[in-house]
Amino acid sequence: METVLEAAGLTKKFPNQRGIENITLEVKRGDIYGFFGPNGAGKTTVMKIMTGLSRADRGAVRIFGHDVTRDFEKAMQKVGVLIETATAHEYMSGYKNLELAARFYADVDGKRIDEVLELVGLSPFKREKVEQYSLGMKQRLGVASALLSRPELLILDEPTNGMDIEGMVEIRELIRRLAEQENITFFVSSHLIHEMELMCNKVGILYKGRFVEEQAVADILNGPYASLEEYFIKLVQEERRLEQVEQL
């Protein structure tokens, strides 16, 4: 199966000594890859490096075979991105925001804007100013913007942030539907472990900037663990035990 996204040895340290160390992972075509870890684990740092928003001290990222640092335009040509909280022009409508974003793509027209608004459930509100949107609605607009160019890979950082339960379910089902029906690959971060379990076929666990484990969700649930949450807690407990041993 084709490798869509690969990271090798990603390392980045900040002045406060936090950061990420030696992150290596691989995402295959059609995967819904869940990048999971507690707040502050380094998920957003990794995703910013993947999308060229930050530069690693060491290591490399390749998307569709192209190095993100050396060949950025080709690497990102088929990629849609939502990193951290979605941003938009508050004084403009949701539709107008997408119309503005569409100028960057040669083949995105009004029909496509209406399509993505329908996909994320914002069609009834497309003429409202974004300043009237809730946080969850703004996240939906961010997902819509990421979908505009018909990407083959979507990199989404906490896409359900601020959404109610109904919204989370709708976005989860949208991601699963796009992966199954259109073979779109997803790399999705979250700290909501139940969402990861229901949505993803594979997860990578990050803890304090280190890549702890990578497993197929089915293998985890068919093993000795009743849930992804139980699996994660066991991993974290083992990591903390090793930290205590190292400090002795």
Side-chain angles (χ1 to χ4, degrees), residues 88-90 92-94 97 128-133 138 141:
H89 297 286
E90 298 274 330
M92 296 169 60
S93 68
N97 268 278
E128 289 185 16
K129 290 184 178 180
V130 173
E131 65 186 7
Q132 298 173 331
Y133 283 11
K138 290 176 181 177
L141 186 63

Side-chain angles (χ1 to χ4, degrees), residues 28 36 61 66 81 150 176 228 230 232 239:
K28 298 291 188 180
F36 179 77
V61 176
H66 301 288
V81 177
R150 300 177 180 86
R176 293 181 67 175
L228 193 55
E230 182 182 336
F232 174 73
E239 287 296 309

Side-chain angles (χ1 to χ4, degrees), residues 20 22 37 59 73 77-78 85 87 138 144 157 161 175 196 224 230 232:
I20 57 170
N22 198 31
E73 288 189 10
Q77 192 170 17
K78 302 174 184 177
T85 304
T87 58
K138 290 176 181 177
D157 185 17
N161 183 37
I175 288 172
M196 293 286 99
E230 182 182 336
F232 174 73

Side-chain angles (χ1 to χ4, degrees), residues 109-126:
D109 55 15
K111 181 181 177 181
R112 178 58 180 169
I113 293 172
D114 282 329
E115 284 176 357
V116 296
L117 284 167
E118 181 67 28
L119 281 172
V120 302
L122 282 181
S123 289
F125 315 102
K126 67 180 185 179

Side-chain angles (χ1 to χ4, degrees), residues 120-164:
V120 302
L122 282 181
S123 289
F125 315 102
K126 67 180 185 179
R127 299 299 178 188
E128 289 185 16
K129 290 184 178 180
V130 173
E131 65 186 7
Q132 298 173 331
Y133 283 11
S134 66
L135 177 58
M137 291 171 71
K138 290 176 181 177
Q139 284 298 97
R140 288 173 186 255
L141 186 63
V143 174
S145 182
L147 284 166
L148 265 182
S149 63
R150 300 177 180 86
E152 295 180 24
L153 168 65
L154 273 167
I155 298 175
L156 305 175
D157 185 17
E158 304 278 0
T160 58
N161 183 37
M163 292 185 185
D164 57 21

